[in-house]
Amino acid sequence: MNAREKAAAEREITDLVKRLQQIADGSPKATPNEQADIRARIVSLRAGLAGGR
């Protein structure tokens, strides 16, 4: 993973974490599936950043 890909992954993680915080705060609502998808994507991105794709 090159520097550009790492930066993009880090930005996506930040955006996803912000979305989870919005969900936790109750606005806007999300389905349990959406929450699970977001968490799975964060795990996937973190694994890629760690080199463990």
Side-chain angles (χ1 to χ4, degrees), residues 1 3 5 16 18 21 25 30 34-36 44 46 48 51 53:
M1 186 176 271
E5 292 170 327
L16 291 168
K18 286 178 185 176
Q21 186 60 50
D25 292 343
E34 181 185 2
Q35 292 179 45
S44 174
R46 286 185 175 161
R53 282 195 166 189

Side-chain angles (χ1 to χ4, degrees), residues 9-49:
E10 289 169 355
R11 280 191 304 273
E12 187 174 352
I13 290 171
T14 300
D15 291 345
L16 291 168
V17 170
K18 286 178 185 176
R19 175 65 179 128
L20 283 176
Q21 186 60 50
Q22 290 172 343
I23 293 167
D25 292 343
S27 171
K29 297 289 183 189
T31 65
N33 285 342
E34 181 185 2
Q35 292 179 45
D37 290 346
I38 291 171
R39 288 184 179 100
R41 182 68 181 142
I42 291 171
V43 169
S44 174
L45 288 166
R46 286 185 175 161
L49 287 172

